[in-house]
Amino acid sequence: MPVSQIEQIGRTTNNTLAAFGDFSVFCARTFRWLAVSLKWKNLRLLFPLMYEVGVRSVPVISVTGAFIGMVMAVETYTQFKSIGQEERIGSIISLSVVKQIGPVLAAVMLAGRIGGALTAELGTMNVTEQLDALRVMGSDPIRYLVVPRFIVCMILLPILTIYSDFTGVLGGWVISTKFLNVADQPYWAYAAQGVDNWQIFEGIFKSFFFGGAIGLISCYKGFTCGSGASGVGRACTESFVTSFIAIIVLNFFFAQLLKDWYITIYGIRSLFG
């Protein structure tokens, strides 16, 4: 391997480790201010953000969740029909939506819609030196800008996940029973049999961490964006890509962790009914 390539690999590795170290410090400072900021006068800052992050995200997440449930019904019906078990389609659709697709889909949509907006907003403030102005006035921008956005993303994503789960299950039911002629009563009976409280808890539990990761990554990219409009645009792209990768990686580790918890609490036989 040529020396120039080795140097490039080493330089890239050093830059990656340095960026991870900076992000870790950024997260530590955010968590340090988190407990201090939980006061009424600071919590009032959350309400405008809740409207932007939560209320305005409901339509897009609901529509996306509904069509994902519809697609699952269309794609799985043929396989179930071939073995004469089409009435069980409600179980696989509901379980897949509630346990995996709903939380991940809601997180990805939030990362695309809100993550980029947060990065652009804070990146513009960074480029125009508004963050430096806050520091000069003795205010920590992480306390007043990052902590509220982190809290809102972490709190509202589980609620948006519930919307995604509901519309996904509803969309699958509509296609299965109204267009594919699956009997209504067996559909819901198998759906209730396949989904218990643990699966619902698992999806909502993961969404807390997905929301926190989106908030931290988006704010960090905004705080560290390059100069000019190109720097802000590049930071928005990196914010979504990094958030998406973080969601997928966290989903894998939480799937394994929560499965181990389930086995520890209920036993290995409970996995097989």
Side-chain angles (χ1 to χ4, degrees):
M1 181 179 295
V3 177
S4 59
Q5 293 184 6
I6 297 176
E7 292 177 350
Q8 182 64 33
I9 294 173
R11 191 178 302 110
T12 302
T13 302
N14 288 335
N15 293 338
T16 302
L17 293 176
F20 182 77
D22 292 340
F23 178 70
S24 299
V25 173
F26 182 86
C27 294
R29 293 177 61 189
T30 301
F31 291 129
R32 180 170 67 89
W33 283 114
L34 184 60
V36 179
S37 300
L38 295 179
K39 301 177 182 178
W40 171 247
K41 65 178 182 179
N42 295 323
L43 292 178
R44 287 181 298 179
L45 300 173
L46 302 182
F47 296 125
L49 294 172
M50 285 182 174
Y51 174 77
E52 183 65 30
V53 174
V55 176
R56 298 190 63 181
S57 297
V58 168
V60 63
I61 286 182
S62 298
V63 171
T64 308
F67 277 93
I68 287 295
M70 294 178 185
V71 170
M72 287 194 61
V74 171
E75 293 294 335
T76 57
Y77 174 78
T78 304
Q79 285 73 24
F80 278 80
K81 178 70 173 179
S82 64
I83 58 176
Q85 298 292 328
E86 63 271 16
E87 293 180 344
R88 293 180 177 269
I89 192 174
S91 175
I92 190 65
I93 292 176
S94 301
L95 181 61
S96 300
V97 169
V98 169
K99 190 175 182 180
Q100 295 294 340
I101 297 178
V104 172
L105 180 66
V108 171
M109 296 304 297
L110 190 73
R113 185 188 175 278
I114 297 300
L118 294 181
T119 302
E121 180 184 10
L122 297 179
T124 302
M125 296 178 69
N126 183 31
V127 170
T128 57
E129 300 182 350
Q130 296 181 49
L131 300 182
D132 293 334
L134 285 174
R135 297 186 182 99
V136 170
M137 290 187 295
S139 300
D140 193 326
I142 290 182
R143 178 179 182 180
Y144 290 100
L145 297 176
V146 176
V147 171
R149 288 161 174 79
F150 169 72
I151 293 175
V152 167
C153 289
M154 189 170 60
I155 291 176
L156 291 186
L157 185 55
I159 299 175
L160 295 173
T161 297
I162 295 174
Y163 276 100
S164 179
D165 292 345
F166 174 75
T167 57
V169 171
L170 188 63
W173 167 74
V174 168
I175 296 299
S176 300
T177 59
K178 307 304 179 184
F179 294 93
L180 300 177
N181 299 321
V182 176
D184 189 77
Q185 193 278 333
Y187 180 93
W188 288 117
Y190 283 115
Q193 180 181 342
V195 179
D196 57 21
N197 292 334
W198 180 267
Q199 275 78 38
I200 299 174
F201 158 78
E202 181 175 341
I204 296 175
F205 176 80
K206 291 189 294 186
S207 64
F208 278 102
F209 294 90
F210 294 163
I214 293 170
L216 287 173
I217 292 172
S218 301
C219 293
Y220 172 76
K221 290 296 183 180
F223 267 56
T224 59
C225 70
S227 59
S230 61
V232 176
R234 188 161 49 249
C236 292
T237 302
E238 293 175 354
S239 171
F240 174 73
V241 173
T242 307
S243 297
F244 179 77
I245 295 174
I247 291 166
I248 298 302
V249 172
L250 287 174
N251 187 53
F252 167 76
F253 285 106
F254 277 118
Q256 183 63 47
L257 176 65
L258 292 170
K259 187 183 76 171
D260 293 340
W261 285 1
Y262 188 85
I263 294 175
T264 302
I265 296 173
Y266 297 103
I268 186 66
R269 293 183 179 179
S270 58
L271 287 175
F272 307 99

